[in-house]
Amino acid sequence: MVLFRKLRLAGSAVIAFGLWFRFGGTMKDFSSEDKSPEYFYMGLYVLVGAGALMMAVGFFGCCGATRESQCVLGSFFTCLLVIFAAEVTTGVFAFIGKDVAIRHVQTMYEEAYNGYLRDREKGNGTLVTFHSTFQCCGKESSEQVQPTCPKELLGHKNCINEIETTISVKLQLIGIVGIGIAGFTILGMIFSMVLCCAIRNSRDVI
């Protein structure tokens, strides 16, 4: 029973982490942009979905253990297997697809940067968002895009480098969380199979 409760708590924590990462923290400003880096958020969507499934599965696991139902425990095991696959996929995606995600966001920045240089009077909200989010200004120099830079920024920071550093750290964290939760689901699968076998053996004896 304790394991099932912990599974629900872990699911709640994963959902909170995913939602905070998506709509809070460093990347929150991109939520309102027309060209938000969806590739970067893909792993977060999987995490949130897996967290919601974990909460539901934890409840069914409790019911199966209380009623000593092999059918419910078998379904519990199957759901955990799906969650395990999703979390491992998220972890692998975060580590292997890191370079692709970085290039994707850097390309978005390049487009916003060049668009601003072509028409300075028009302004560029996306470029302002980039500078505010990553606390950087321009590329090799900040002189050409200085009006779009954060006022509180001290000194020059190359946005291409800051994008790479920030996203690399974020994706590594997502990967660690995904693989960590995957390890926890393995315990749940082992426990459910042991309990299911114990119930079957007890019924055979009777």
Side-chain angles (χ1 to χ4, degrees):
M1 292 294 185
V2 174
L3 180 63
F4 297 132
R5 285 198 294 268
K6 287 184 177 179
L7 196 63
R8 293 200 302 270
L9 289 174
S12 302
V14 170
I15 292 174
F17 171 81
L19 292 177
W20 173 80
F21 226 90
R22 177 63 177 88
F23 299 107
T26 307
M27 303 296 290
K28 64 180 179 180
D29 292 332
F30 281 115
S31 302
S32 59
E33 291 295 319
D34 293 332
K35 293 184 177 181
S36 59
E38 293 301 319
Y39 191 92
F40 174 78
Y41 294 130
M42 195 180 300
L44 293 179
Y45 298 145
V46 175
L47 273 181
V48 172
L53 188 57
M54 283 176 69
M55 291 182 65
V57 165
F59 173 76
F60 287 116
C62 285
C63 292
T66 302
R67 295 175 176 271
E68 297 186 352
S69 171
Q70 288 180 281
C71 181
V72 175
L73 287 173
S75 300
F76 172 76
F77 177 87
T78 303
C79 290
L80 281 184
L81 188 60
V82 172
I83 293 172
F84 174 77
E87 298 292 357
V88 169
T89 300
T90 300
V92 171
F93 163 80
F95 287 115
I96 303 239
K98 179 176 65 176
D99 292 338
V100 177
I102 290 172
R103 285 197 299 272
H104 177 68
V105 179
Q106 286 177 336
T107 300
M108 288 174 56
Y109 177 77
E110 293 276 5
E111 291 174 355
Y113 183 90
N114 293 332
Y116 177 80
L117 293 183
R118 284 194 297 268
D119 189 358
R120 295 172 187 267
E121 295 182 359
K122 181 180 178 181
N124 193 306
T126 303
L127 188 63
V128 173
T129 300
F130 266 107
H131 289 162
S132 175
T133 299
F134 293 99
Q135 286 298 296
C136 59
C137 186
K139 295 191 287 187
E140 291 79 11
S141 172
S142 60
E143 294 180 1
Q144 293 179 307
V145 293
Q146 191 63 47
T148 65
C149 298
K151 295 180 180 179
E152 66 274 12
L153 182 65
L154 300 176
H156 169 64
K157 287 185 179 181
N158 189 316
C159 282
I160 299 298
N161 296 337
E162 290 299 313
I163 288 171
E164 180 177 0
T165 301
T166 302
I167 292 183
S168 179
V169 171
K170 300 294 184 184
L171 285 178
Q172 283 180 2
L173 184 56
I174 292 172
I176 290 170
V177 171
I179 292 176
I181 295 299
F184 189 73
T185 58
I186 291 176
L187 295 177
M189 287 189 289
I190 293 173
F191 182 76
S192 65
M193 289 305 296
V194 169
L195 188 57
C196 193
C197 291
I199 293 171
R200 183 176 58 190
N201 291 337
S202 65
R203 288 179 179 175
D204 290 341
V205 170
I206 295 173

